Amino acid sequence: MRKYFSSLLAAAALAGAAALPVVAATPASAAATTCAPASHDYTVAEEKVPVHSSISANAAVIDYVYRNNSVHAYWACTNSSGNPWVCIGSCKVTEDTISGRWVYRVYLR
């Protein structure tokens, strides 16, 4: 889809179209998501914390971590809703994909 929009913009520029709407090259959900590599140790603060497959509370729960256990964060992301998440394993963060073992940062100290 990006190539399609890029082609439209390029064709319009060559044709001299002045009133072309601006189109972002990234998907709307990814545009508001920010991620950065991290290296931080945390302790689980809640009794039983779900580990998700992505940075959303609606993502599949793939495991749990338990109170007072230590976890290490490799990536820190803030999703489009402004919620902070950290990846504690099998992290894959690219322009198109965010996957791995993600924990909502609020449950950690």
Side-chain angles (χ1 to χ4, degrees):
M1 185 172 222
R2 287 186 205 160
K3 288 181 182 177
Y4 172 75
F5 285 127
S6 296
S7 297
L8 278 178
L9 291 174
L14 290 174
L20 185 69
V22 176
V23 178
T26 57
S29 60
T33 298
T34 58
C35 292
S39 181
H40 193 277
D41 291 319
Y42 293 100
T43 301
V44 179
E46 301 291 323
E47 187 66 33
K48 182 178 179 182
V49 174
V51 177
H52 295 269
S53 61
S54 189
I55 59 171
S56 169
N58 295 329
V61 174
I62 55 176
D63 199 3
Y64 292 93
V65 289
Y66 298 90
R67 178 178 286 160
N68 296 326
N69 284 341
S70 294
V71 294
H72 184 79
Y74 299 95
W75 281 89
C77 294
T78 301
N79 66 12
S80 59
S81 299
N83 298 323
W85 292 80
V86 294
C87 184
I88 61 170
S90 303
C91 310
K92 182 177 181 184
V93 179
T94 66
E95 183 180 321
D96 299 321
T97 305
I98 296 176
S99 62
R101 296 172 43 84
W102 293 89
V103 176
Y104 186 42
R105 171 67 184 85
V106 174
Y107 297 137
L108 306 174
R109 59 174 188 249

